[in-house]
């Protein structure tokens, strides 16, 4: 299949709408990560997303809407807390899981009784959904298991030849996927941390329960609250290890591991939380001085590690507050939950 790449302008709106109306899959920009969109009410179109991405059929998709009113008929009921959250964080990087109405195809829900819905704030995609008139089902536009794409180049790398159209809306401003919460009986459960922080959720909805799967591997045989939790995710080819603890202890441990790998003819790289000069001549990717910047850069740094054929990624971690929780969640999966705590060394 020939893939066309075009800029996110007026002409692209018409072109993308035509393709989506025909039941095709289109690579779209959003403020979080690029998505692979199709008509979310057309089961055959939705199946094409799973094929293009190589995604397991039991991992459900998010429906993207242009406004709150478009979301309401996708649910059987919307409780008060859910409505408050949607009003507070839409449009934006926030996804809500509620009981699904009959019109939501089972392919979107992966047979669950619930559906996940979000309203993106990226102006071009917002205009596209409004014009289409149907919700867009869209997972992140990477091949299943790979780091999510935050630039159009990475969408191209994964999807060229697999879908007919990719739209370039520039680099994604948030850099990690939306926050996913389920609301039931007034209680809010965080399934995936993302562009809206737990602190922001709590300011609107009170107590937030962070699901066990956010920061811990699933125990054998356990059923995850969100199917996405059970898959290997965000993983570069390199072996990734995370380092936690006091800053200087982390720096020393990372330097020692780096030098050992280097001597063994491996190709290590450090991901540093700012001030890369602390690592001297060693190969360093700078994740910036805040968790927000780390989140913006996380997926491109993991892909860069592959592009530079690094075999070992030694990553410093921000603390778990604010956007730091989303960084932990993604990096823990990239690392297969391998964490070295060096605080008492
Ligand atoms: O920012 C985002 O959310 C991006 C952009 C493209 O909008 N989309 C995205 O989609 O990250 P995806 O498919 O890569 O991740 C969707 C997550 C998965 O972990 C999935 O298991 C979970 O949402 N999910 C979807 N429907 C669900 C449901 N009914 N119940 C629980 N979890 C659900
Ligand atoms: Mg994804």
């Amino acid at each position: 299949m020939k893939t066309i790449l075009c800029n996110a302008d007026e002409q692209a709106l018409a072109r993308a709408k035509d393709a989506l109306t025909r039941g095709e899959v289109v690579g779209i920009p959003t403020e979080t990560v690029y998505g692979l969109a199709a008509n979310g009410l057309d089961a055959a179109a939705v199946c094409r997303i799973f094929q293009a991405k190589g995604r397991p059929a039991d991992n459900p998709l998010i429906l993207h809407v242009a406004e709150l009113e478009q979301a309401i008929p996708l649910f059987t009921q919307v409780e008060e807390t859910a409505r408050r959250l949607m009003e507070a964080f839409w449009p934006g990087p926030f996804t809500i899981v509620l009981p699904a109405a009959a019109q939501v195809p089972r392919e979107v829900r992966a047979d669950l009784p619930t559906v996940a819905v979000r309203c993106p704030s990226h102006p071009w995609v917002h205009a596209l959904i409004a014009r289409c008139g149907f919700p867009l089902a869209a997972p992140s536009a990477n091949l299943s298991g790979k780091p999510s794409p935050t630039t159009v180049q990475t969408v191209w790398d994964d999807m060229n030849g697999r879908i007919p159209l990719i739209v370039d809306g520039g680099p994604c401003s948030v850099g990690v996927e939306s926050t996913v919460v389920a609301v039931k009986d007034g209680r809010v459960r965080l399934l995936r941390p993302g562009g809206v922080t737990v602190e922001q959720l709590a300011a609107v909805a009170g107590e937030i329960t962070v699901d066990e799967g956010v920061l811990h591997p699933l125990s054998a045989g356990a059923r995850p609250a969100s199917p996405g939790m059970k898959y290997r995710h965000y993983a570069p080819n390199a072996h990734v290890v995370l380092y936690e603890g006091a800053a200087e202890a982390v720096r020393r441990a990372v330097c020692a591991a780096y030098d050992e790998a280097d001597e063994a003819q491996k190709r290590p790289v450090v991901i540093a939380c700012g001030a890369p000069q602390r690592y001297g001549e060693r190969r360093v990717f700078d994740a910036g001085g805040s968790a927000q910047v780390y989140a913006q850069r996380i997926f491109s740094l993991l892909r860069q590690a592959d592009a530079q054929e690094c075999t070992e990624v030694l990553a410093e971690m921000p603390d778990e507050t604010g956007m730091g929780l989303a960084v932990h969640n993604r990096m823990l999966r990239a690392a297969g939950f391998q964490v070295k705590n060096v605080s008492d060394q």
Side-chain angles (χ1 to χ4, degrees):
M1 183 186 299
K2 185 172 155 43
T3 303
I4 293 169
L5 178 63
C6 62
N7 284 324
D9 55 17
E10 187 63 28
Q11 213 186 341
L13 279 178
R15 202 173 208 163
K17 182 192 165 183
D18 284 351
L20 292 162
T21 307
R22 281 195 301 272
E24 288 175 359
V25 177
V26 177
I28 54 159
T30 85
E31 73 279 20
T32 55
V33 303
Y34 275 79
L36 272 188
N39 180 347
L41 301 181
D42 174 349
V46 169
C47 289
R48 284 187 200 108
I49 298 177
F50 284 89
Q51 278 162 18
K53 199 175 150 78
R55 180 173 176 117
D58 66 349
N59 195 2
L61 305 179
I62 295 172
L63 289 181
H64 297 65
V65 296
E67 55 191 3
L68 182 60
E69 286 64 38
Q70 195 185 4
I72 302 299
L74 302 171
F75 305 127
T76 53
Q77 62 185 73
V78 179
E79 34 181 291
E80 176 53 30
T81 309
R83 180 178 282 272
R84 274 215 310 280
L85 285 165
M86 290 186 272
E87 281 169 354
F89 299 115
W90 282 0
F94 172 73
T95 297
I96 195 151
V97 173
L98 289 172
Q103 64 162 324
V104 178
R106 46 174 288 273
E107 289 78 3
V108 169
R109 302 177 277 111
D111 281 326
L112 293 173
T114 52
V115 62
V117 179
R118 100 168 179 98
C119 173
S121 65
H122 190 288
W124 184 86
V125 88
H126 197 262
L128 175 66
I129 305 166
R131 245 189 228 205
C132 284
F134 46 76
L136 298 181
S140 49
N142 50 288
L143 287 172
S144 203
K146 287 282 162 202
S148 298
T150 50
T151 63
V152 80
Q153 178 64 50
T154 46
V155 181
W156 182 262
D157 292 345
D158 279 13
M159 290 297 150
N160 181 20
R162 303 178 77 93
I163 57 174
L165 180 63
I166 298 174
V167 179
D168 180 358
C172 301
S173 57
V174 177
V176 289
E177 301 87 343
S178 60
T179 299
V180 181
V181 306
V183 180
K184 200 178 171 198
D185 302 329
R187 280 200 289 276
V188 182
R189 176 175 290 272
L190 178 74
L191 303 180
R192 180 177 74 182
V196 170
T197 65
V198 172
E199 294 83 349
Q200 289 173 305
L201 294 172
V204 172
E207 198 190 336
I208 310 295
T209 304
V210 176
D211 193 88
E212 175 78 8
V214 167
L215 291 178
H216 303 281
L218 284 170
S219 39
R223 204 161 65 93
S226 179
M229 288 173 176
K230 71 176 175 238
Y231 292 106
R232 185 178 152 93
H233 243 129
Y234 315 119
N237 300 325
H239 175 227
V240 182
V241 182
L242 314 183
Y243 287 79
E244 285 187 344
E248 181 51 23
V250 164
R251 194 194 67 84
R252 270 190 272 118
V254 167
C255 285
Y258 184 108
D259 295 346
E260 194 182 314
D262 201 41
E263 264 168 45
Q265 310 296 319
K266 294 180 183 166
R267 198 172 154 78
V269 63
V270 179
I271 294 183
C273 294
Q277 67 280 6
R278 289 175 294 132
Y279 286 98
E281 298 295 298
R282 297 174 182 87
R283 189 178 301 106
V284 187
F285 295 160
D286 184 6
S290 70
Q292 198 177 339
V293 175
Y294 203 135
Q296 278 165 353
R297 296 183 185 170
I298 192 166
F299 293 131
S300 63
L301 293 182
L302 292 174
R303 284 189 181 243
Q304 214 172 308
D306 278 351
Q308 297 192 15
E309 295 181 341
C310 297
T311 59
E312 318 289 316
V313 173
L314 312 167
E316 292 186 342
M317 296 299 288
D319 68 47
E320 280 175 13
T321 58
M323 286 298 288
L325 188 63
V327 170
H328 274 256
N329 171 271
R330 305 309 189 274
M331 288 300 281
L332 280 166
R333 280 165 176 79
F337 293 92
Q338 261 210 70
V339 183
K340 288 211 157 72
N341 198 312
V342 294
S343 52
D344 34 59
Q345 285 170 21

